[in-house]
Amino acid sequence: MTAAPSQPAFDGTAIANAAAALVAARRAAAGIDAFPGALPEDLATAYAIQNAVTTAWADRVVGWKVALVPPALTERLGAIRFIGPVFAKTTTSWSGEALSFPVIEGGFSAIEAEFVVRVAADAPPDRLDYSPGEAAAFVGAIHAGIEVAGNALSSVMTLGPMASVPSFGNNIGLVIGPQIAEGLADLEAIRAETEIDGQSVGTGAATKLPGGVAAAMAVALGTAAQLGRPLTAGQWVSTGALTGVHAVTIGQSIRIAFTGIEPMTGTTVAAQPTTDA
């Protein structure tokens, strides 16, 4: 199910003001407790703010994260997933080294093991809806990955997707690990496990994603086109949490293991202010 952003309920000034406050908080790497202004009540408004945030952020979009809408809200919002932009400067290709995962002090951060898809071909800009079967044609190599879900807004998880969508899609980083599959069928045997401070906090596989990776890709393809930012070949799509969404604080050790590859490890560190965005 892909919700089609239509006309936002907020006027241009309210959208611009909310976007400016979210960008300023992210730029300062400083937590805020309340959403700036009224919280959106519909996806059209939430995505309008996200688009303004993305335009104002001086970095290149290299992909999208996909996340689930809580089941209690899917009927009202008309969607089971939402998307958020992933930027070049917050994307890391892992080559075996210890990683640093940014955490905005006073905000919110979480670690998620994910399958990350390399987009195989440019998506038509005028096509706004896909079935999972149609989306499968755009799935290239599939990599192990880690999304750092992060936000200056400390209450983002309590407020839900109407706060996550506009505030950078609740993404602050993406780690792209080794390729682990040539195609969707290869994912059936792959498992992931997340450990924090030496304790296992979750395990999972592609079956944790409703409809699987192809369903997540379908939402990314359709929604990005609706936002005027259609997927292009070589971009990345982080398809959803396999082992759960695990909140973290500064100074914790992280270990994420996927079947058949060396575990990716690192430490959560304080996010630094950004001066060039």
Side-chain angles (χ1 to χ4, degrees):
M1 182 192 301
T2 301
S6 52
Q7 290 299 113
F10 293 177
D11 63 22
T13 299
I15 290 168
N17 288 343
L22 292 168
V23 167
R26 172 77 166 255
R27 184 179 292 151
I32 56 175
D33 294 329
F35 190 86
L39 187 70
E41 295 185 358
D42 60 88
L43 281 172
T45 306
Y47 277 123
I49 299 172
Q50 183 193 103
N51 239 347
V53 163
T54 304
T55 299
W57 196 251
D59 198 0
R60 179 170 55 94
V61 174
V62 295
W64 298 87
K65 60 83 61 77
V66 182
L68 291 175
V69 171
L73 296 177
T74 57
E75 184 173 355
R76 180 171 75 81
L77 297 181
I80 66 169
R81 288 177 166 91
F82 67 85
I83 69 170
V86 174
F87 295 100
K89 294 177 184 176
T90 57
T91 300
T92 302
S93 293
W94 182 75
S95 58
E97 72 285 358
L99 295 160
S100 296
F101 304 104
V103 172
I104 294 177
E105 190 167 4
F108 169 81
S109 282
I111 295 293
E112 303 176 16
E114 308 216 358
F115 291 131
V116 184
V117 172
R118 186 82 164 180
V119 179
D122 291 351
D126 57 349
R127 184 170 182 181
L128 307 181
D129 193 50
Y130 293 80
S131 70
E134 293 165 339
F138 292 86
V139 174
I142 304 172
H143 290 241
I146 304 170
E147 185 197 356
V148 187
N151 213 297
L153 181 62
S154 62
S155 55
V156 63
M157 297 302 284
T158 301
L159 295 174
M162 292 297 92
S164 292
V165 170
S167 54
F168 292 84
N170 201 28
N171 172 271
I172 196 172
L174 179 65
V175 177
I176 301 166
Q179 181 177 339
I180 53 174
E182 294 282 351
L184 295 171
D186 299 333
L187 297 179
E188 295 179 5
I190 298 175
R191 302 290 180 268
E193 180 178 24
T194 299
E195 295 181 6
I196 298 176
D197 290 339
Q199 299 295 315
S200 178
V201 293
T203 60
T207 53
K208 288 285 186 75
L209 307 176
V213 166
M217 280 293 293
V219 172
L221 283 158
T223 308
Q226 291 161 16
L227 296 175
R229 303 176 185 273
L231 300 190
T232 58
Q235 285 189 327
W236 300 98
V237 176
S238 192
T239 58
L242 300 172
T243 71
V245 179
H246 309 292
V248 292
T249 57
I250 296 168
Q252 293 189 291
S253 63
I254 309 298
R255 181 182 186 272
I256 292 185
F258 284 81
T259 303
I261 66 169
E262 180 184 348
M264 293 180 280
T265 62
T267 304
T268 52
V269 300
Q272 298 301 303
T274 302
T275 59
D276 60 348

